[in-house]
Amino acid sequence: VQLVESGGDLVQAGGSLRLSCAVSGRTFSSLAMGWFRQAPGKERDFVARIARTGGSTYYADSVKGRFTISRDNAKNTVYLQMNVLKPEDTAVYYCAADSDVIVTRTARYYDYWGQGTQVTVSS
């Protein structure tokens, strides 16, 4: 299974970005999808998760109301729309896939990972 993220960039505080993650090698609709982020010197933190059908979504408190996770099962792609970006959102953002239906925010339970895309928010 391959996951390829795109869309990371340098943006000013208050701006927006949309990250994409294209998935191949497995039936996309059989996977729950998540986004995580890792800032320098910190652990990889949960950002958002979306169920296989897109019917349920989950967010970290730090991004709730600003970020939106969505998926297009016809395009095998998951998105993360990020609005009102803050300098503390600066991190490498990773797309992850989970073959289990049990909802988890713990990185080690996700089965497949992308290489990450850098998001930098300047103040």
Side-chain angles (χ1 to χ4, degrees):
V1 180
Q2 289 190 322
L3 287 69
V4 180
E5 302 100 332
S6 61
D9 206 343
L10 170 64
V11 63
Q12 289 189 334
S16 298
L17 282 176
R18 188 175 83 154
L19 306 183
S20 300
C21 173
V23 180
S24 61
R26 173 135 178 198
T27 303
F28 183 62
S29 58
S30 71
L31 299 168
M33 299 299 300
W35 286 96
F36 289 76
R37 65 186 182 186
Q38 188 167 19
K42 296 190 176 181
E43 294 187 350
R44 193 169 295 189
D45 291 332
F46 171 79
V47 174
R49 176 184 171 104
I50 188 166
R52 295 173 175 180
T53 62
S56 298
T57 56
Y58 310 86
Y59 296 94
D61 288 343
S62 58
V63 307
K64 201 172 294 183
R66 301 188 297 123
F67 290 11
T68 302
I69 188 171
S70 62
R71 65 190 294 160
D72 186 337
N73 283 0
K75 296 183 178 180
N76 292 353
T77 301
V78 62
Y79 305 97
L80 185 67
Q81 177 66 44
M82 305 186 294
N83 298 328
V84 195
L85 282 161
K86 305 175 181 179
E88 52 263 43
D89 294 319
T90 295
V92 177
Y93 282 71
Y94 295 91
C95 173
D98 184 2
S99 58
D100 201 337
V101 297
I102 298 174
V103 176
T104 179
R105 301 174 181 226
T106 304
R108 68 176 182 270
Y109 293 123
Y110 285 73
D111 301 299
Y112 309 104
W113 291 85
Q115 293 300 306
T117 186
Q118 177 71 47
V119 172
T120 303
V121 184
S122 64
S123 57

